[in-house]
Amino acid sequence: MQEKPITAWLITNAFLHTTKFTEINLWLIEAAKKSGIDLILKTNQEELALLDSKNPIAYKSNDINKPSFVLFWDKDIRLANYLELKGLPVFNSSRAIGICDDKSLTHLYLQRAGIPMPKTILAPMTYSNIGYTSMDFLEKIEKELFFPIVVKECFGSFGQQVYLVKNREELIEKVKEIEPKPMLFQEFIETSRGKDIRLQVVGDKVVASMYRYSENGDFRANITNGGKMKPYDPTKEQKDLAIRCCQILGLDFAGVDILFGENDEPIVCEVNSNAHFKNIFDCTGVNVADYIMDHILKKLDQIVEIQK
């Protein structure tokens, strides 16, 4: 008799409808099927976090509706946390997704571990109904970083919320444009202008890598912004650094973007908890979804062993 497939949930955002995201969902479902997993697509609108002090949140052990795990392909960390409270294994965890979604938190956690990164200054927090009534803090940023300076919104994807300012006037204009949203300021790594590498990490292994470069003058190398790509064979130092970042942040899988320093030393730019892998598949032929499913099954086996 054929074994009943493992039932799991793929949580996505109900309000994000683009081909890019739909395609990834289908790849994950297909990869799960190959691994004997019935991965059921659910949105954060279907699975609401219901908090009721009169009833326990956690599933009963014999609940037939309980999935074996949740593959959380969204940034609704409150829902991810709720599902963890219900006793479900969630990949990636709510904590890891939350840290990666906020670039300022990513840098704070990596700073603690001494990970090489561009010099970074976090903008002071302000309130939505106030904004910045004073720009005095920009003087320290100019002295510490020098122009050109990279300005990043703390929440953003695909390089869309990353800017390069060349002088004080542009800096003030950009800050006024972004406020009151949280942002950070970084030194510009000139030796990595328009080029970086994306390392796709699953578990404790780099499973795919690509070199991204811009030929249109953009300082960013993101494919979404017109960058190009080619397969890349990372050095041991680059691979070890990417894996270490994921371990620090508690990630089961991620895309780690690394810049080139003056002597080609690796400098971590960003860590993406739900990194899209269509481009890296087109570039390398590696289907990251297959690796993700294999990793999750191994983690589930480890959980069962611990509970024995």
Side-chain angles (χ1 to χ4, degrees):
M1 182 180 294
Q2 187 175 2
E3 289 187 16
K4 184 179 178 181
I6 296 171
T7 300
W9 292 351
L10 171 63
I11 298 291
T12 64
N13 194 282
F15 315 102
L16 189 59
H17 302 288
T18 67
T19 302
K20 181 180 290 188
F21 286 90
T22 302
E23 190 173 40
I24 288 294
N25 297 340
L26 294 175
W27 279 32
L28 290 167
I29 291 170
E30 182 60 29
K33 185 178 179 180
K34 288 188 290 184
S35 295
I37 302 168
D38 182 14
L39 189 61
I40 301 170
L41 181 65
K42 289 180 176 286
T43 71
N44 63 333
Q45 181 171 235
E46 295 173 79
E47 291 299 320
L48 297 177
L50 173 60
L51 309 178
D52 181 359
S53 60
K54 296 179 181 179
N55 293 297
I57 289 178
Y59 279 103
K60 293 180 181 178
S61 58
N62 62 346
D63 194 324
I64 60 172
N65 296 314
K66 178 183 178 182
S68 295
F69 69 88
V70 175
L71 179 55
F72 206 88
W73 213 263
D74 190 31
K75 296 181 179 181
D76 190 341
I77 58 172
R78 296 171 184 81
L79 176 58
N81 187 270
Y82 171 77
L83 294 172
E84 289 165 345
L85 287 175
K86 287 176 73 71
L88 299 176
V90 178
F91 305 94
N92 281 303
S93 70
S94 61
R95 174 185 174 275
I97 294 172
I99 294 172
C100 287
D101 191 33
D102 183 340
K103 293 179 176 62
S104 61
L105 285 180
T106 303
H107 284 284
L108 285 168
Y109 275 85
L110 296 181
Q111 170 74 26
R112 294 178 185 178
I115 296 297
M117 300 175 292
K119 185 185 290 188
T120 302
I121 300 177
L122 308 185
M125 191 210 80
T126 186
Y127 295 91
S128 59
N129 61 331
I130 298 175
Y132 289 123
T133 57
S134 168
M135 295 280 187
D136 290 349
F137 65 92
L138 294 182
E139 293 183 14
K140 182 172 184 180
I141 290 164
E142 289 181 83
K143 291 178 181 177
E144 287 286 340
L145 302 181
F146 308 107
F147 291 107
I149 293 171
V150 176
V151 182
K152 290 184 181 181
E153 297 182 32
C154 288
F155 299 92
S157 302
F158 307 112
Q160 297 295 302
Q161 292 79 24
V162 181
Y163 319 96
L164 188 66
V165 298
K166 302 178 182 65
N167 51 54
R168 183 175 180 82
E169 290 71 29
E170 289 186 8
L171 178 60
I172 293 172
E173 181 181 352
K174 186 56 65 177
V175 170
K176 286 182 177 179
E177 178 186 316
I178 297 173
E179 68 172 351
K181 292 183 286 187
M183 68 187 89
L184 56 82
F185 309 92
Q186 284 185 334
E187 67 171 317
F188 179 53
I189 307 300
E190 180 64 46
T191 49
S192 203
R193 178 186 286 269
K195 62 180 181 178
D196 67 11
I197 55 173
R198 161 65 62 87
L199 303 184
Q200 203 80 35
V201 179
V202 180
D204 292 328
K205 182 180 179 182
V206 173
V207 300
S209 310
M210 65 178 172
Y211 176 84
R212 305 186 300 187
Y213 59 102
S214 173
E215 292 184 337
N216 61 10
D218 198 318
F219 73 98
R220 300 163 296 182
N222 303 73
I223 307 303
T224 304
N225 298 318
K228 296 184 178 181
M229 58 189 178
K230 61 183 180 180
Y232 181 79
D233 184 16
T235 66
K236 183 178 185 302
E237 186 180 9
Q238 290 166 339
K239 289 190 288 188
D240 289 348
L241 182 59
I243 293 168
R244 178 67 179 136
C245 286
C246 292
Q247 292 171 338
I248 293 165
L249 302 178
L251 290 157
D252 286 285
F253 46 84
V256 182
D257 298 339
I258 294 180
L259 305 174
F260 298 92
E262 288 187 10
N263 299 304
D264 278 345
E265 72 275 13
I267 300 173
V268 174
C269 179
E270 292 184 4
V271 182
N272 307 275
S273 61
N274 289 9
H276 280 240
F277 45 79
K278 170 67 164 58
N279 288 333
I280 210 163
F281 172 79
D282 291 340
C283 182
T284 67
V286 175
N287 188 346
V288 176
D290 291 336
Y291 284 94
I292 289 174
M293 294 307 159
D294 289 345
H295 171 73
I296 289 175
L297 290 176
K298 290 176 183 176
K299 286 291 290 282
L300 292 176
D301 287 342
Q302 291 172 5
I303 291 172
V304 170
E305 285 299 316
I306 292 172
Q307 292 174 344
K308 283 183 179 179

